[in-house]
Amino acid sequence: RGFQFPLMTDISNPVLYDMGLRVAVQSLTEEVTARKGISVSCSFDGRLTNLAQDVEVMIFQLVKELVQNIVKHSGARKASIRIVEERDDINVVVADDGQGFAVGNIGSVGVDGGFGLFSIRERVKSYHGKIKIESEPGKGSEVTVMLPKKASGVAVSRKTGKRK
């Protein structure tokens, strides 16, 4: 059957739409800490307001998938999520103290959750973002994703409805 998060952290997460990215990520970390026994901390730097909804959804999905990878594959006791708003970018850093993996294997389906990281990498690219994966066996891992705030590529002015 495989590992599944309960409905609350589903892609159509009502907390994300109702309360925003910060609260949705906090509820995800609390849930994983309570249910999976991995101490997950999260921190935020910047206002994280006025983000386009597609950017918020993308960030939440990335965080959720990276945390699921930690739960499934890492054997970690601790993990952290850091979301930092820069002027034009959002940086997301997800790290753990687990068993790590050989980064060179990413893209090999089924190797250390390689397909999950491969699909994350492809999605980040489609948003014109950058991803850096640092890990080695026995040393935990850290995934850093940088997404432009206007990640969808076409910014539409809310006032005029015209493309900028």
Side-chain angles (χ1 to χ4, degrees):
R1 228 182 115 209
F3 172 79
Q4 292 179 329
F5 273 104
L7 193 59
M8 185 182 137
T9 52
D10 194 88
I11 282 173
S12 60
N13 186 332
V15 176
L16 177 63
Y17 295 110
D18 295 344
M19 306 295 286
L21 182 63
R22 190 182 300 249
V23 174
V25 170
Q26 285 170 330
S27 70
L28 174 70
T29 60
E30 288 166 12
E31 200 168 302
V32 171
T33 298
R35 292 174 182 250
K36 302 298 172 188
I38 299 170
S39 176
V40 184
S41 64
C42 61
S43 64
F44 305 91
D45 194 2
R47 292 194 354 253
L48 297 174
T49 55
N50 301 327
L51 295 178
Q53 192 166 41
D54 62 330
V55 176
E56 283 197 350
V57 169
M58 173 71 170
I59 292 168
F60 183 74
Q61 288 176 342
L62 283 172
V63 167
K64 189 179 112 186
E65 285 181 42
L66 290 168
V67 168
Q68 284 177 325
N69 280 348
I70 291 169
V71 169
K72 283 187 203 174
H73 305 292
S74 75
R77 291 182 314 278
K78 288 184 182 169
S80 64
I81 300 163
R82 220 169 70 240
I83 300 176
V84 180
E85 180 178 13
E86 311 265 325
R87 205 169 97 186
D88 298 319
D89 306 313
I90 300 289
N91 293 311
V92 180
V93 183
V94 178
D96 69 74
D97 68 353
Q99 63 192 16
F101 56 90
V103 175
N105 289 338
I106 295 171
S108 310
V109 175
V111 176
D112 291 321
F115 188 72
L117 283 173
F118 177 78
S119 68
I120 288 170
R121 183 187 270 169
E122 292 305 302
R123 214 161 346 133
V124 168
K125 271 192 219 168
S126 77
Y127 264 68
H128 309 292
K130 295 184 177 97
I131 184 167
K132 182 171 78 172
I133 301 168
E134 296 177 278
S135 184
E136 55 185 272
K139 303 264 176 148
S141 62
E142 183 174 283
V143 177
T144 304
V145 175
M146 184 279 298
L147 290 173
K149 281 187 190 175
K150 295 186 174 31
S152 59
V154 177
V156 176
S157 166
R158 289 190 179 156
K159 289 180 187 150
T160 65
K162 293 183 180 160
R163 291 176 184 215
K164 290 182 181 173

